[in-house]
Amino acid sequence: PVGTIWMAIATKDEVYSKKFSFRQNRERNIESAVVYGLNYLRIVIENLEVAWFWNLMSIFALNICIKRK
């Protein structure tokens, strides 16, 4: 339908996709798609950074446990 936009973000490991539905005029839909798309990219990046950080911390904690034995 008019106003339906699919966006996808790919990393080397995963693909994230999301469907957006806008109900405004064409110009407004384009503007909304840009804003929502950039926000979606920000959310994915933040989640990847958080996941990367916790993965790094778990490796660090495991190394400490191994060294203590």
Side-chain angles (χ1 to χ4, degrees):
V2 174
T4 301
I5 298 173
W6 280 91
M7 295 186 187
I9 300 165
T11 68
K12 66 178 184 151
D13 300 319
E14 292 188 60
V15 176
Y16 304 88
S17 62
K18 189 169 178 82
K19 177 182 160 185
F20 296 93
S21 297
F22 303 110
R23 302 283 183 240
Q24 307 293 325
N25 62 45
R26 181 178 172 84
E27 185 176 321
R28 183 70 177 146
N29 287 349
I30 293 169
E31 292 171 0
S32 296
V34 171
V35 171
Y36 279 74
L38 289 173
N39 189 50
Y40 182 49
L41 178 61
R42 179 189 60 81
I43 290 168
V44 169
I45 289 170
E46 285 177 351
N47 287 335
L48 290 174
E49 287 175 351
V50 168
W52 176 83
F53 173 77
W54 287 114
N55 187 35
L56 182 64
M57 289 296 103
S58 64
I59 292 169
F60 180 69
L62 180 61
N63 286 339
I64 290 173
C65 292
I66 291 171
K67 288 179 181 177
R68 287 186 178 173
K69 289 185 178 182

